[in-house]
């Protein structure tokens, strides 16, 4: 098997990945191209770009693989509707028709719309998650733990990865779900499900876990074998509007935030801290049991829960595991997972297959296209003779610079291809970025990116030589020099960068270091609140002029805002 396209769609975060001749050629979410946040539609734009980048026609593919099994998924939805009737009437009237017309006939859509005659295969949701992590890991043998809201029936699964095999050894089924539990508390605290979970993680350090005993035990039950279950009387998962029962409000004794302008009280912050700690307790309980049973401390994580940086770091500190997480750990990543799984299966190879990985797998834009974009929009621009030195100096002066470089990042975190950069030294920069650039809640933290060789001087390393994907929180060792990126609990969601990983970003930080002595800068995603990260120069210009960003760099082209009142 040489050329495989993997597709995930029709739930949220649609994506496409292309694996060709044992290498990852392309991986991108549809939202980056459609400009529709969390786009769930069939990823026509991303599929076209994948074929373009791979220099392929659709008939040149050996297989198209879909990330889950629609038949099994529909069976679960139908059982849920019948079990919860009549409270599931809205689920029946809205979700069932959508599923029947879009997700169930996905093979027919592919064949009819693309005249594709090759094999279309289907995997399992959690197997696709597992493959995305294991086949990009450095491990020959590992526990592969996948945790999310829900796949078909499964909400958690454990695979034993060994060589080229992934064998499922344990699973937990709906309605018992750590991902859904966290989403319920996300909604309870007034944030959007499938969007605001990271806000709960960011809010948690401002509180104390005083409600932990009300969650672990009565609501979330943990067993000695590592499994977990939920008390279903607290939840209304078939209600499309609200997933918690009034009984949960009475039990917690804290009013939920149902409107954006509802006050965020200390009780709400404590509730966020309690939910975060409950997740960590449940994950540690599971891992301890698995380590005892299988004697393996190399662990791959995937699924939306694996994007919880605080929990990921705690598992390393408390359990001494070695951890690998693929940066698109959520549902978008299943497109790559199912493609890798198909490629391994189709190769017939007995030697261990692992795929060299870089997160820069999306679109890139030519110099000619960039200049044409500027000219057609009458944008004043200039070419920098030393773009790293200029940006480094601007950051040291307190300016905010957005960059577009190379190919889009794969996953939800900005990793220096579509990033907004700033000085990390003063606490006022955090407030400025939240208020004037990102237009978001004041408690939201920002992440540091540090030169890899200085990583251990500024941050706890967790025993890892590098942390390139911003997937763990690390204790800040010099918070007085990194105040804008040190959170309330004195941790930072660190990204390390080496010259070989991203020479463009490395050069900027190194120039900033030469001026300030600090080899760290602030890095946040190049987008405004509620929008996907930018992809093209055109996207970048729109975001640049709609915000307080001072300078835009597209490769070595610079666009600078004119002072007010100037011609």
């Amino acid at each position: 098997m040489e050329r495989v396209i993997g597709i995930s769609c029709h739930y949220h975060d649609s994506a496409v990945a292309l694996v060709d001749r044992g290498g990852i050629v392309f991986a991108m979410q549809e939202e980056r191209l459609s400009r529709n946040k969390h786009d769930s539609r069939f990823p026509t734009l991303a599929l076209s770009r994948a074929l373009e980048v791979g220099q392929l026609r659709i008939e040149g593919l050996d297989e198209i693989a879909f990330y889950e099994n629609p038949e099994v998924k529909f069976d679960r939805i139908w059982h849920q509707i019948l079990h919860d009737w009549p409270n599931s009437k809205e689920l029946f009237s809205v979700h069932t028709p959508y599923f029947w017309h879009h997700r169930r006939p996905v093979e027919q859509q592919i064949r009819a719309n693309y005249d594709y005659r090759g094999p279309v295969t289907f995997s399992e949701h959690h197997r696709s998650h597992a493959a995305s992590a294991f086949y990009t890991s450095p491990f020959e043998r590992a526990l592969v733990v996948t945790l999310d809201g829900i796949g078909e029936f499964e909400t958690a699964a454990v695979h034993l990865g060994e060589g080229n095999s992934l064998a499922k050894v344990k699973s937990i089924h709906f309605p018992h779900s750590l991902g859904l539990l966290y989403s319920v508390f996300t909604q309870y605290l007034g944030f959007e499900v499938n969007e605001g979970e990271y806000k709960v993680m960011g809010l948690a350090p401002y509180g104390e876990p005083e409600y932990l005993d009300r969650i672990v035990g009565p609501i979330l039950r943990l067993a000695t074998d590592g499994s977990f279950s939920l008390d279903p009387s607290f939840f209304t998962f078939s209600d499309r509007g609200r997933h918690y029962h009034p009984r949960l409000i009475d039990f917690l004794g804290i009013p939920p935030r149902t409107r954006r302008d509802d006050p965020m009280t200390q009780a709400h912050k404590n509730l966020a801290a309690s939910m975060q700690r409950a997740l960590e307790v449940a994950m540690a309980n599971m891992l301890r049991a698995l380590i005892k049973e299988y004697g393996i401390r190399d662990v791959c994580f995937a699924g939306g829960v694996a994007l919880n940086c605080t929990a990921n770091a705690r598992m390393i500190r408390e359990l001494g595991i070695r951890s690998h997480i693929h940066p698109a750990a959520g549902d978008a990543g299943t497109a790559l997972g199912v493609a890798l799984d198909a490629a391994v299966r189709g190769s017939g190879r007995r030697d261990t297959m692992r795929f060299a990985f870089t997160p820069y797998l999306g679109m890139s834009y030519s110099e000619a296209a960039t200049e044409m974009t500027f000219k057609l929009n009458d944008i004043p621009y200039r070419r920098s003779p030393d773009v790293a030195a200029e940006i480094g100096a601007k950051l040291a002066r307190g300016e905010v610079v957005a960059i577009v470089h190379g190919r889009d990042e794969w996953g939800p975190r900005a990793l220096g291809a579509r990033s907004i950069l700033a000085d990390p030294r003063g606490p006022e920069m955090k407030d400025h970025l939240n208020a004037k650039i990102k237009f978001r809640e004041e408690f939201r933290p920002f992440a540091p990116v540090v030169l890899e060789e200085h990583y251990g001087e500024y941050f706890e390393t967790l025993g890892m030589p590098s942390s390139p994907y911003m997937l763990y929180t690390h204790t800040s060792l010099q918070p007085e020099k990194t105040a804008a990126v040190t959170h309330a609990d004195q941790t930072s969601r660190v990204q390390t960068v080496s010259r070989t990983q991203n020479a463009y970003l490395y050069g900027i930080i190194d120039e900033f270091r030469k001026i300030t002595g600090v080899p760290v800068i602030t890095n946040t995603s190049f987008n405004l609140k509620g929008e996907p990260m930018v992809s093209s120069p055109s996207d970048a210009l729109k975001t640049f002029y709609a915000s307080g960003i001072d300078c835009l760099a597209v490769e070595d082209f610079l666009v600078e805002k004119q002072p007010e009142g100037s011609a």
Side-chain angles (χ1 to χ4, degrees):
M1 192 69 65
E2 292 186 340
R3 300 179 178 93
V4 182
I5 283 278
I7 295 175
S8 65
C9 62
H10 295 319
Y11 183 44
H12 59 85
D13 298 319
S14 296
V16 168
L18 169 63
V19 176
D20 186 358
R21 304 184 185 189
I24 303 170
V25 175
F26 180 89
M28 193 170 188
Q29 287 181 225
E30 183 75 358
E31 68 167 28
R32 296 283 190 101
L33 299 165
S34 70
R35 312 309 302 155
N36 180 18
K37 184 80 167 171
H38 298 303
D39 200 336
S40 64
R41 296 169 295 181
F42 189 90
T44 54
L45 298 174
L47 179 55
S48 296
R49 298 291 84 77
L51 295 172
E52 177 186 305
V53 170
Q55 298 181 320
L56 293 169
R57 297 173 65 86
I58 195 86
E59 58 268 25
L61 297 173
D62 295 300
E63 181 177 335
I64 294 178
F66 193 68
Y67 78 118
E68 66 178 13
N69 188 319
E71 296 289 345
V72 178
K73 185 89 164 188
F74 187 76
D75 189 38
R76 191 269 301 166
I77 292 170
W78 191 247
H79 276 82
Q80 183 180 344
I81 289 169
L82 294 177
H83 181 270
D84 291 345
W85 194 265
N87 295 326
S88 57
K89 283 183 177 180
E90 190 177 5
L91 183 67
F92 172 75
S93 62
V94 175
H95 200 90
T96 302
Y98 179 86
F99 194 100
W100 198 259
H101 290 293
H102 294 280
R103 187 180 297 199
R104 191 173 183 274
V106 68
E107 179 177 353
Q108 294 91 318
Q109 292 170 359
I110 292 169
R111 297 198 185 284
N113 294 335
Y114 294 94
D115 193 28
Y116 174 70
R117 300 178 184 181
V120 176
T121 59
F122 298 87
S123 186
E124 295 178 343
H125 185 107
H126 277 261
R127 183 179 179 87
S128 297
H129 273 311
S132 74
F134 184 56
Y135 292 126
T136 59
S137 80
F139 304 139
E140 167 69 27
R141 187 168 185 257
L143 292 168
V144 188
V145 178
T146 57
L147 298 164
D148 65 5
I150 187 169
E152 291 93 347
F153 277 93
E154 293 171 340
T155 65
V158 179
H159 289 76
L160 184 61
E162 192 161 11
N164 291 342
S165 72
L166 270 173
K168 183 165 59 180
V169 293
K170 296 179 186 293
S171 63
I172 294 173
H173 286 194
F174 177 82
H176 309 295
S177 169
L178 290 179
L180 287 178
L181 177 65
Y182 206 92
S183 292
V184 164
F185 280 84
T186 297
Q187 190 177 56
Y188 199 97
L189 291 166
F191 305 126
E192 185 179 346
V193 172
N194 292 328
E195 168 64 22
E197 284 78 3
Y198 57 91
K199 297 182 184 181
V200 177
M201 184 178 67
L203 184 63
Y206 292 94
E208 296 294 332
E210 66 170 273
Y211 302 107
L212 180 62
D213 290 344
R214 296 194 196 182
I215 298 174
V216 177
I219 298 173
L220 170 62
R221 300 159 178 163
L222 305 181
T224 56
D225 65 356
S227 64
F228 56 83
S229 61
L230 303 182
D231 181 338
S233 68
F234 288 105
F235 307 104
T236 56
F237 291 130
S238 293
D239 186 334
R240 297 183 74 248
R242 192 177 78 175
H243 289 167
Y244 54 88
H245 193 276
R247 183 177 177 229
L248 183 63
I249 304 173
D250 295 337
F251 182 74
L252 293 174
I254 305 167
R257 294 180 70 243
T258 57
R259 299 179 306 180
R260 287 186 179 180
D261 57 351
D262 283 347
M264 180 69 75
T265 66
Q266 188 58 47
H268 291 122
K269 297 173 185 178
N270 292 343
L271 187 60
S274 302
M275 182 61 248
Q276 176 64 34
R277 187 70 184 113
L279 173 67
E280 295 162 7
V281 169
M283 289 177 63
N285 184 63
M286 173 183 283
L287 284 175
R288 282 194 189 96
L290 291 171
I291 292 168
K292 182 178 180 181
E293 181 173 356
Y294 293 99
I296 301 173
R297 289 185 177 272
D298 290 341
V299 182
C300 299
F301 289 108
V305 175
L307 291 170
N308 192 297
C309 308
T310 306
N312 296 338
R314 188 178 286 271
M315 296 309 101
I316 295 174
R317 292 191 195 100
E318 289 192 2
L319 303 175
I321 63 171
R322 286 203 307 165
S323 171
H324 171 77
I325 305 172
H326 158 253
D331 273 8
T334 58
L336 180 58
V338 73
L340 295 176
D341 200 25
V344 170
R345 168 174 40 80
S347 71
R349 285 170 50 178
R350 295 191 175 183
D351 59 309
T352 297
M353 289 184 69
R354 293 295 178 270
F355 293 80
F357 186 79
T358 170
Y360 309 111
L361 292 168
M363 291 296 297
S364 62
Y365 299 88
S366 70
E367 179 180 301
T370 299
E371 285 205 89
M372 184 63 71
T373 300
F374 293 155
K375 290 174 180 177
L376 288 174
N377 290 282
D378 295 321
I379 303 297
Y381 70 97
R382 63 183 176 87
R383 192 165 208 156
S384 171
D386 190 340
V387 71
E390 285 209 53
I391 295 176
K394 285 177 177 292
L395 296 175
R397 292 196 298 267
E399 293 185 42
V400 177
V401 181
I403 62 171
V404 173
H405 164 67
R407 300 177 68 177
D408 298 88
E409 301 95 335
W410 173 232
R413 308 269 159 78
L415 299 174
R418 305 292 186 274
S419 287
I420 296 172
L421 309 178
D423 188 335
R425 293 173 295 170
E428 68 281 354
M429 182 57 77
K430 172 179 173 286
D431 296 331
H432 174 65
L433 289 171
N434 272 327
K436 303 296 184 182
I437 309 296
K438 302 285 282 187
F439 307 113
R440 65 185 200 179
E441 298 88 351
E442 72 281 355
F443 65 83
R444 299 272 295 281
F446 290 96
V449 54
V450 58
L451 298 182
E452 189 176 284
E453 60 268 32
H454 295 281
Y455 170 34
E457 299 168 28
Y458 282 79
F459 303 99
E460 164 201 28
T461 66
L462 296 169
M464 302 186 295
S466 63
S467 185
Y469 306 138
M470 214 183 283
L471 287 167
Y472 306 89
T473 53
H474 307 250
T475 301
S476 178
L477 303 180
Q478 300 192 50
E480 72 282 358
K481 295 182 180 179
T482 57
V485 292
T486 300
H487 203 25
D489 58 358
Q490 298 300 294
T491 67
S492 296
R493 193 179 66 197
V494 172
Q495 177 197 355
T496 60
V497 66
S498 67
R499 198 180 294 277
T500 55
Q501 176 191 343
N502 187 329
Y504 185 90
L505 179 61
Y506 183 98
I508 292 169
I509 303 170
D510 200 37
E511 291 295 334
F512 181 81
R513 177 195 61 80
K514 291 174 185 176
I515 298 168
T516 66
V518 178
V520 182
I521 59 174
T522 303
N523 175 19
T524 188
S525 56
F526 190 179
N527 66 298
L528 303 182
K529 182 181 178 182
E531 295 182 356
M533 265 194 278
V534 307
S535 177
S536 70
S538 178
D539 303 333
L541 285 172
K542 291 175 184 175
T543 301
F544 174 60
Y545 284 112
S547 72
I549 298 169
D550 299 299
C551 176
L552 168 65
V554 182
E555 303 297 352
D556 60 353
F557 295 110
L558 295 182
V559 179
E560 295 154 305
K561 285 180 178 160
Q562 301 298 312
E564 290 187 16
S566 63

